C-alpha cells in the first residue's frame, strides 16, 4: 500500500512536532490551574499569559485583546452573538455577512434571525468574490456588525479585507473576519487591516484541535456567551486550556516564520495539479485568484462527489467534497450554489487542500488515480 496522500488540510492539519513538545509539560508536571494562587498555579498562569503575548505579537494586537476559545466555531458564534447582544443594548438590529461563510457563522446568523435580527447575506460573483462597495451599500443606521470570511474554506478565495475594514472604520461599524483558513498563509495585521474582531482555530495551522482565539479590539462592548468564573478578564468563563493555548501560540509563530516559503512550495504544486486535472473531460474549476495556495476545488458534473471520495480513499488519498461539516449530508455545497453552480455541478465537486509534505511523486500519483476514478465512475453512471 503506498503512503497516504493527505489532501484535506482545510479540514484539519497534523500537529507539528515542535508544537507537541511545547505542549507536553502542561499535561504532566505543569498541571496547575491558572486561577490557583500557589506556585504551580502561578506557573500555569505565566505560561498562559506568555502564550497570549505571543499571539498578540503575531496579529499586531495587545495581549488584553486576545481571548482563548475552544476553536473556530466558538469564535464565530461569540463574535456575531456577542456583538448582537451589544447591538441590542444600543437599539441596533442589523448584521451584514456573505452567502459563502463557514456554517459556524451562517448558522449563528440564522439563529439570530429567529431572535429578530435582520441579516444581509451579500451575494458573491461567479468566481467567489465580494466587492467592498457591496458592503458599503448594505450599511445603514441599524448595522451593528459586518462579518466577512477572510479566505473561503471550500474554494480558497480571498476577500479584500483591508478595503472592507477601511469602509467599516469610516462608517464606525465593527468588523469581524473569520480568518481560520487564512492563518499561516496570508498577512494578518489587525491594525493595518482595520479589523475589530478576528477568529482563529489552532488545528488549521499545525496546532491542536479544540483551541482557538477571538481577537477583540479594546473597548468593543462584546458580550460574553459563557458565564461562570472570571477567567479571560471576566469575558469567557471556564478553566483555561493551558496546553492548548501554548500549542496555539507555538503553531502560529512557526506558521508565520516559514509562511512565504511554504506558500511558494504549495502553490507551485497546486498550480501543476490544477493544470493536469482541469484538462480532464468536463472539469470546472471553482473559484479564482486571489486564492489560498493549497486550495483546488473542481466540479465534474455527472459524477457523484461521495463516490469519488470513496474511490480516492480506497487508493489511500484523503480529500473532501467541500466542507467536512456538510459531507455526508448529501446536500450540495452552499458555497458552490452561491457561485451560481447548478445542483448537479455542486454535487460532483472535489476539494483538494494540500500541504507542504506533499511530494511531486504524490502529485503524479494523485493525477493518475483521478484519471482512473473518473473513467470508472463515469462508465458506472446510469
Ligand atoms: C474549520 C473552520 C471553522 C471552524 O473551526 P473549528 O475549530 O473546527 O470549530 C470556522 N471557519 C472556517 C473558515 C473554518 O475553516
Amino acid at each position: 500500500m503506498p503512503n497516504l496522500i493527505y489532501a484535506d488540510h482545510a479540514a484539519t492539519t497534523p500537529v507539528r512536532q515542535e508544537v507537541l513538545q511545547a505542549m507536553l509539560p502542561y499535561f504532566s508536571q505543569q498541571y496547575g490551574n491558572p486561577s490557583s494562587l500557589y506556585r504551580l498555579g502561578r506557573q500555569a498562569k505565566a505560561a498562559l499569559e506568555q502564550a497570549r503575548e505571543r499571539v498578540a505579537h503575531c496579529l499586531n494586537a495587545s495581549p488584553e485583546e486576545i481571548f482563548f476559545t475552544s476553536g473556530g466555531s466558538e469564535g464565530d458564534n461569540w463574535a456575531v452573538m456577542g456583538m448582537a447582544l451589544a447591538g441590542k443594548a444600543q437599539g441596533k438590529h442589523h448584521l451584514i455577512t456573505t452567502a459563502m461563510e463557514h456554517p459556524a457563522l451562517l448558522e449563528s446568523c440564522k439563529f439570530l434571525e429567529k431572535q429578530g435580527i435582520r441579516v444581509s447575506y451579500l451575494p458573491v460573483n461567479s468566481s467567489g468574490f465580494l466587492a467592498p462597495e457591496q458592503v458599503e451599500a448594505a450599511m445603514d443606521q441599524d448595522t451593528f456588525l459586518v462579518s466577512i470570511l477572510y479566505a473561503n474554506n471550500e474554494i480558497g478565495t480571498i476577500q479584500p479585507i483591508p478595503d472592507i475594514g477601511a469602509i467599516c472604520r469610516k462608517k464606525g461599524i465593527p468588523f469581524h473576519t473569520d480568518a481560520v483558513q487564512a492563518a499561516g498563509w496570508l498577512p494578518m495585521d489587525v491594525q493595518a487591516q482595520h479589523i475589530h474582531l478576528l477568529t482563529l482555530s489552532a488545528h488549521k495551522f499545525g496546532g491542536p484541535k479544540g483551541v482557538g482565539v477571538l481577537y477583540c479590539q479594546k473597548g468593543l462592548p462584546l458580550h460574553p456567551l459563557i458565564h461562570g468564573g472570571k477567567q479571560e478578564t471576566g469575558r469567557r468563563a471556564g478553566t483555561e486550556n493551558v496546553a492548548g493555548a501554548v500549542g496555539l501560540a507555538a503553531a502560529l509563530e512557526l506558521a508565520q516564520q516559514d509562511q512565504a516559503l511554504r506558500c511558494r512550495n504549495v502553490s507551485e504544486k497546486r498550480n501543476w495539479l490544477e493544470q493536469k486535472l482541469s484538462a480532464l473531460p468536463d472539469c470546472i474549476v471553482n473559484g479564482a485568484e486571489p486564492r489560498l495556495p493549497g486550495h483546488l476545488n473542481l466540479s465534474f458534473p455527472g459524477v457523484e462527489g461521495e463516490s469519488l471520495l470513496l474511490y480516492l480513499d480506497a487508493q489511500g488519498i484523503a480529500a473532501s467534497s467541500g466542507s467536512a461539516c456538510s459531507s455526508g449530508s448529501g446536500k450540495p455545497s452552499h458555497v458552490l450554489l452561491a457561485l451560481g453552480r447548478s445542483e448537479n455541478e455542486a454535487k460532483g465537486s472535489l476539494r483538494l487542500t494540500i500541504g507542504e509534505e506533499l511530494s511531486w511523486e504524490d502529485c503524479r500519483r494523485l493525477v493518475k488515480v483521478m484519471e482512473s476514478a473518473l473513467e470508472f465512475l463515469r462508465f458506472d453512471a446510469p
Side-chain angles (χ1 to χ4, degrees):
M1 189 74 193
N3 64 313
L4 169 76
I5 292 181
Y6 185 68
D8 204 12
H9 281 252
T12 196
T13 61
V15 174
R16 290 169 79 141
Q17 255 324 304
E18 307 93 307
V19 171
L20 180 62
Q21 290 307 321
M23 290 173 69
L24 284 177
Y26 300 96
F27 292 109
S28 46
Q29 306 93 334
Q30 299 287 334
Y31 55 81
N33 184 324
S35 299
S36 302
L37 292 178
Y38 41 77
R39 184 198 299 264
L40 197 64
R42 292 198 308 273
Q43 284 169 341
K45 175 86 178 163
L48 182 71
E49 294 315 315
Q50 202 201 7
R52 200 184 308 281
E53 276 169 33
R54 290 162 71 190
V55 171
H57 186 75
C58 289
L59 301 179
N60 195 19
S62 310
E64 62 271 31
E65 297 174 320
I66 303 300
F67 299 90
F68 288 109
T69 65
S70 64
S73 297
E74 184 185 331
D76 282 347
N77 274 260
W78 191 5
V80 297
M81 297 212 258
M83 289 308 289
L85 289 167
K88 204 171 156 197
Q90 300 168 340
K92 295 185 176 183
H93 303 88
H94 177 232
L95 166 59
I96 299 171
T97 187
T98 77
M100 60 185 288
E101 299 294 309
H102 186 274
L105 204 291
L106 276 188
E107 294 298 323
S108 299
C109 290
K110 285 188 195 157
F111 172 77
L112 285 174
E113 279 188 291
K114 288 190 202 128
Q115 320 298 315
I117 299 292
R118 191 159 52 88
V119 182
S120 299
Y121 300 94
L122 300 179
V124 292
N125 67 17
S126 61
S127 301
F129 296 103
L130 186 76
E133 301 77 53
Q134 287 174 268
V135 179
E136 184 158 15
M139 290 173 166
D140 59 38
Q141 295 299 319
D142 204 29
T143 311
F144 62 82
L145 183 72
V146 170
S147 183
I148 311 279
L149 188 60
Y150 193 158
N152 184 269
N153 47 302
E154 294 188 33
I155 59 175
T157 52
I158 301 163
Q159 303 304 337
I161 292 302
D163 298 341
I164 297 169
I167 291 170
C168 292
R169 194 178 59 159
K170 186 177 77 182
K171 299 281 181 164
I173 298 173
F175 174 40
H176 168 248
T177 186
D178 173 342
V180 172
Q181 290 291 332
W185 299 106
L186 303 177
M188 276 195 306
D189 180 328
V190 292
Q191 296 190 46
Q193 298 174 311
H194 316 296
I195 295 165
H196 301 95
L197 296 138
L198 178 143
T199 295
L200 294 179
S201 178
H203 76 103
K204 302 290 177 81
F205 52 84
K209 292 168 185 61
V211 62
V213 153
L214 181 65
Y215 154 79
C216 175
Q217 194 182 68
K218 238 176 299 188
L220 219 58
L222 180 76
H223 273 234
L225 294 189
I226 301 181
H227 304 272
K230 294 290 166 228
Q231 291 91 350
E232 300 292 307
T233 53
R235 291 173 100 173
R236 184 194 187 267
T239 302
E240 301 90 337
N241 179 357
V242 180
V246 168
L248 184 148
L252 189 58
E253 278 178 355
L254 286 166
Q256 288 196 343
Q257 272 163 26
D258 57 21
Q259 183 166 310
L261 189 67
R262 188 161 21 86
C263 284
R264 231 176 304 141
N265 172 349
V266 165
S267 64
E268 197 187 341
K269 287 171 184 147
R270 190 274 315 272
N271 292 346
W272 185 85
L273 285 170
E274 176 167 359
Q275 196 199 340
K276 297 289 174 195
L277 296 176
S278 63
L280 295 173
D282 300 332
C283 178
I284 304 170
V285 178
N286 298 310
E289 299 298 329
R291 187 173 42 158
L292 288 170
H295 270 65
L296 181 57
N297 191 308
L298 305 168
S299 282
F300 299 96
V303 173
E304 193 62 53
E306 304 266 304
S307 312
L308 184 53
L309 290 188
L310 293 176
Y311 189 100
L312 294 179
D313 180 38
Q315 303 295 320
I317 299 172
S320 159
S321 61
S323 65
C325 323
S326 59
S327 57
S329 70
K331 276 198 205 142
S333 143
H334 70 283
V335 173
L336 298 182
L337 295 180
L339 304 188
R341 298 280 181 260
S342 68
E343 290 223 356
N344 196 21
E345 290 164 345
K347 276 189 170 166
S349 74
L350 173 74
R351 179 185 73 177
L352 299 171
T353 48
I354 64 171
E356 59 187 331
E357 80 289 352
L358 194 81
S359 67
W360 282 108
E361 195 189 324
D362 293 335
C363 292
R364 284 187 289 272
R365 181 154 73 89
L366 214 160
V367 171
K368 276 219 182 73
V369 173
M370 278 295 292
E371 284 166 352
S372 55
L374 290 172
E375 210 168 296
F376 177 77
L377 295 171
R378 284 228 166 94
F379 182 73
D380 218 30

